[in-house]
């Protein structure tokens, strides 16, 4: 199987991800580097170029994940698979992220109202 992904498919993957890394959620707009199309299940592990097996990925996440699908923990017997953006949700994987995003939104609203009121009054 070829690793080359057609340009039209790359664009569909980027649009589906809203131009954010599907692993760390970094927006491509905030990166100095171009993002990659990454195989969730690598070709060497039987993955394909199917749309559902491709993820939009920042260079750091792509580098650290590589072609691996999981890692050993503590006892060298237990394997934990890596986050899969097609199966897993950050909200259930890391529940504290929901609280963090909610707090940021709550804190941002009064500031937004203040800025809008000073613009209209000033």
């Amino acid at each position: 199987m070829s690793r080359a992904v057609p340009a039209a498919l790359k664009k569909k993957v980027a649009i589906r991800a809203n131009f954010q890394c599907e692993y760390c959620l970094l927006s491509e707009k905030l990166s100095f580097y171009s993002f990659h199309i990454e195989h969730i299940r690598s070709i060497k592990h039987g993955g394909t170029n199917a749309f559902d097996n491709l993820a939009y990925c920042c260079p750091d996440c792509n580098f650290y994940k590589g072609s691996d699908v999981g890692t050993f923990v503590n006892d060298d017997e237990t394997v934990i698979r890596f986050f899969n953006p097609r199966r897993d949700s950050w909200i259930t994987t890391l529940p504290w992220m929901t609280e963090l995003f909610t707090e940021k939104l709550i804190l941002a609203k009064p500031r937004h109202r203040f800025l809008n009121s000073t613009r209209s009054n000033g």
Side-chain angles (χ1 to χ4, degrees):
M1 158 118 337
S2 170
R3 289 182 51 98
V5 178
L9 185 53
K10 288 180 181 182
K11 186 172 183 173
K12 281 178 63 175
V13 171
I15 290 169
R16 175 186 58 201
N18 198 27
F19 298 91
Q20 290 181 296
C21 176
E22 294 190 67
Y23 293 101
C24 72
L25 306 179
L26 176 70
S27 172
E28 188 173 32
K29 292 178 186 176
L30 301 176
S31 177
F32 292 110
Y33 305 103
S34 298
F35 280 24
H36 307 161
I37 301 299
E38 195 264 338
H39 291 87
I40 297 168
R41 181 180 214 167
S42 66
I43 300 291
K44 81 176 190 181
H45 292 297
T48 67
N49 285 345
F51 182 62
D52 285 343
N53 189 48
L54 300 175
Y56 204 57
C57 188
C58 74
D60 287 336
C61 287
N62 195 18
F63 172 77
Y64 287 110
K65 179 183 174 285
S67 63
D68 297 335
V69 293
T71 189
F72 288 97
V73 290
N74 301 334
D75 58 9
D76 287 338
E77 297 288 325
T78 306
V79 177
I80 296 187
R81 72 171 174 81
F82 290 146
F83 179 84
N84 180 327
R86 295 299 150 262
R87 293 185 182 162
D88 304 321
S89 162
W90 276 118
I91 292 170
T92 55
T93 304
L94 297 171
W96 58 267
M97 282 187 75
T98 306
E99 292 176 29
L100 178 67
F101 289 136
T102 304
E103 286 175 20
K104 284 185 176 183
L105 288 173
I106 290 169
L107 291 173
K109 285 180 183 177
R111 182 174 183 270
H112 176 71
R113 273 186 252 137
F114 171 75
L115 290 175
N116 283 339
S117 68
T118 56
R119 286 185 187 136
S120 61
N121 293 335

